[in-house]
Amino acid sequence: MDAIDALNETAFWLERELADSFKVQAFRRAAGIIAELSQEDLAARLKDGRLKRTKGIGSRTYEVISQAVDGRVPDYLENLRRRGAEPLANGGRKLNAELRGDLHSHSNWSDGGSPIDVMADAARILGREYIALTDHSPNLTIANGLSPERLMEQLTVVDGINERYGQEPGFRLLTGIEVDILEGGGLDQSEDLLGQLDVVVASVHSKLRSEKGPMTRRMLAAIENPHTNVLGHCTGRLVKGSRGTRPPSEFDPREVFASCAEHSVAVEINSRPERQDPPDELIQIALDAGCLFSIDSDAHAPGQLDFLQYGAERAEVNGVPAERIVTTWPLARLLEWLQSKQ
Ligand SMILES: [Zn+2]
Ligand SMILES: [Zn+2]
């Protein structure tokens, strides 16, 4: 087995089962280190013990590399694969099988951990027909949000990746953004650029503790913006995880979801285990309001693209029909819906 593939695949499965990111990164870093070496050089360094002493190569990564170079699937990876064959979530399997795409993901251009093509490749491994790359907007400086210039540069990179995939059709990387809904309700990117993107996910990331009235008005303004396609993690709550917990923000859900239905903005069911957003009672209100939904991973690393299973489980428990979930739609129908907004 190729040692670089073995290390990257190990990282992928670890991420999927929510391992600590330092552990995941150790495998990716080791992959980067040996990618610099020729096959012969790697074999020689294994043989004379230099590899073991290399900075960035630990005992586990060393074991994976040496077993792969021996021509077999490393034990550690074999175990991870076995665990990975088990579904992540207990419910939602039928709906999960109907999901074709994902409209919310991040690369290392903002606060994700991996290059764009690594994310896209992982999405293809998982059988997606499309995913949208939605890195953060300028206002989110802590997440290295993209300036207009960097976003324009990213569009050409995405074009290049799609061109490469064009040889074997069946997958498309959609351009996009997770744009901050600013305090006044405006979207944090130029109108012109928003109009060029396939997918605009609008999310609140600041002043989450605002009062109900101003928060409702802020969200309504974003939903009415003709560029908005998806309302991202609408309450901003955190229910568990390393960042601690955070209560849902307060807004009038009837007004907000009625506006989503009116303006054909899909309500995101954010699949991240620490978010589980919107809460069940809000999904019901959105259902009653006639909203469309988008089950998204909000993946910040390749292994997290499989989080859709959690979102599918929640959608199924809440009785959301597949037909109302835009990410079950074939690409052509999805594009028609997206383009009807611009
Ligand atoms: Zn977000
Ligand atoms: Zn996000």
Side-chain angles (χ1 to χ4, degrees), residues 104 106 136 178 298 300:
H104 187 166
H106 299 274
H136 289 287
E178 180 181 16
D298 196 358
H300 285 66

Side-chain angles (χ1 to χ4, degrees), residues 47-124:
K47 209 167 168 197
D48 64 19
R50 266 179 298 158
L51 190 73
K52 213 170 198 163
R53 298 191 299 272
T54 304
K55 190 165 174 284
I57 303 291
S59 59
R60 186 67 80 188
T61 48
Y62 178 81
E63 178 195 293
V64 168
I65 295 165
S66 60
Q67 292 180 355
V69 170
D70 276 349
R72 61 195 190 92
V73 177
D75 299 333
Y76 190 70
L77 174 56
E78 185 79 58
N79 261 321
L80 284 168
R81 278 184 179 174
R82 205 172 305 128
R83 290 209 295 273
E86 298 291 319
L88 283 177
N90 292 319
R93 289 188 204 173
K94 185 171 169 286
L95 181 56
N96 184 56
E98 288 181 65
L99 296 178
R100 294 169 184 262
D102 188 344
L103 300 187
H104 187 166
S105 71
H106 299 274
S107 74
N108 61 2
W109 283 53
S110 64
D111 61 347
S114 290
I116 300 169
D117 57 338
V118 175
M119 293 297 287
D121 282 341
R124 292 168 80 229

Side-chain angles (χ1 to χ4, degrees), residues 282-301:
L282 292 197
I283 294 180
Q284 288 307 320
I285 295 171
L287 259 180
D288 293 344
C291 292
L292 292 168
F293 295 84
S294 179
I295 298 182
D296 297 333
S297 68
D298 196 358
H300 285 66

Side-chain angles (χ1 to χ4, degrees), residues 160-175:
I161 291 172
N162 280 321
E163 227 161 83
R164 219 174 65 225
Y165 289 147
Q167 326 299 328
E168 27 174 340
F171 177 81
R172 171 134 162 224
L173 180 59
L174 300 169
T175 59

Side-chain angles (χ1 to χ4, degrees), residues 104 106 136 140 178 203-205 232-233 270 275 298 300:
H104 187 166
H106 299 274
H136 289 287
L140 213 57
E178 180 181 16
S203 309
V204 171
H205 289 116
H233 51 65
N270 189 295
R275 286 194 181 274
D298 196 358
H300 285 66

Side-chain angles (χ1 to χ4, degrees), residues 254-274:
R254 280 178 184 78
E255 267 195 75
V256 163
F257 295 139
S259 182
C260 284
E262 184 190 340
H263 294 93
S264 198
V265 169
V267 174
E268 177 178 78
I269 295 181
N270 189 295
S271 302
R272 295 193 65 86
E274 79 277 20

